[in-house]
Amino acid sequence: MALTFRIQLRGIKKPPVWRRIVIPSNFTFHHFHQAIQDAFGWENVHLYQFEKSPFCHGWRIAVPNEYDMDFEFRSSDSRNTLVLDYIQMMGLKKFVYVYDFGDSWVHDITLEDIAENDMFAYSVCLAGKGLCPPEDCGGVWGYEDMKQLLLEAPNSEEAQQYREWLCLDDEEDFDPKYFDIDEVNDMLRSIEVCNGENP
């Protein structure tokens, strides 16, 4: 079986940032996390969790960590919770993935299809749009401010500082519309499922 999801980064517009990905039925939520990281272009350097809505008090799926003083009763370990089993058990069609609890990047996830299809041995990106924001840029507002400055005042001193921080060459333009589906799918092929073992 294969599951198709549409995932959109909340709050980013002009252009919006979204991906449509397919994952195989043997993916845990930790594998799903890795697929989202690769599909969007995140660097996997912060904590994450899946839940019904951002930072709600209902169910939560994450990797327990030293900052989590009590991994709550309604929390599940993402490394051994299968996506297919959980969404069927909970009847989920929509939920969120939150990455980086400082910048609080909220990804709205919509389940589009569960297909009796065993051709997907790994995750695949079918479509997408928009450049992923850089890590640690200050969340939605920080990214929108940076994007506006780079597009509207590219020769300003502050824009030059951003360009240095982003490691852009002198001839290289900042393009918020950039999306390369082949590059994304090359990354997604690297996610391995370890026969029932924690990833």
Side-chain angles (χ1 to χ4, degrees):
M1 297 178 76
L3 299 85
T4 303
F5 295 96
R6 188 183 192 278
I7 307 165
Q8 180 156 343
L9 195 50
R10 187 180 291 185
I12 303 297
K13 300 172 181 165
K14 298 181 181 177
V17 179
W18 63 270
R19 308 289 185 259
R20 177 170 288 111
I21 65 173
V22 180
I23 65 170
S25 60
N26 62 346
F27 263 31
T28 65
F29 275 93
H30 190 69
H31 294 120
F32 194 19
H33 149 74
Q34 291 173 314
I36 294 170
Q37 289 283 308
D38 288 346
F40 279 82
W42 295 117
E43 297 175 14
N44 199 14
V45 292
H46 297 287
L47 298 175
Y48 73 90
Q49 61 192 31
F50 293 88
E51 52 197 331
K52 183 176 181 181
S53 60
F55 303 107
C56 73
H57 297 290
W59 61 269
R60 175 176 67 137
I61 301 172
V63 175
N65 62 80
E66 66 268 25
Y67 306 109
D68 212 343
M69 299 310 289
D70 61 339
F71 198 60
E72 301 154 19
F73 174 70
R74 299 199 66 184
S75 297
S76 300
D77 190 328
S78 63
R79 297 167 296 181
N80 52 37
T81 305
L82 289 172
V83 176
L84 176 62
D85 290 353
Y86 197 85
I87 65 172
Q88 288 182 328
M89 178 182 72
M90 299 291 285
L92 297 177
K93 294 290 184 186
K94 295 188 176 188
F95 53 103
V96 299
Y97 166 80
V98 181
Y99 172 64
D100 183 354
F101 303 157
D103 281 1
S104 297
W105 297 107
V106 177
H107 304 65
D108 291 302
I109 300 175
T110 302
L111 174 65
E112 293 188 328
D113 187 42
I114 300 177
E116 296 286 342
N117 189 337
D118 58 3
M119 67 178 284
F120 293 99
Y122 47 80
S123 186
V124 175
C125 183
L126 302 177
K129 185 173 186 178
L131 180 70
C132 183
E135 296 277 4
D136 304 318
C137 69
V140 170
W141 298 275
Y143 178 60
E144 290 296 331
D145 286 347
M146 182 192 81
K147 186 168 65 172
Q148 183 177 3
L149 186 71
L150 286 168
L151 294 174
E152 295 179 4
N155 297 319
S156 67
E157 184 176 336
E158 193 174 356
Q160 290 306 313
Q161 291 173 352
Y162 276 128
R163 289 180 61 81
E164 288 177 20
W165 182 61
L166 294 168
C167 300
L168 294 174
D169 295 331
D170 291 340
E171 307 80 29
E172 196 174 359
D173 291 325
F174 173 76
D175 182 7
K177 297 177 182 175
Y178 178 81
F179 171 68
D180 186 331
I181 195 167
D182 294 328
E183 184 179 296
V184 168
N185 280 317
D186 284 344
M187 292 288 292
L188 288 172
R189 282 188 199 88
S190 68
I191 301 172
E192 295 183 14
V193 178
C194 306
N195 295 325
E197 298 176 7
N198 286 346

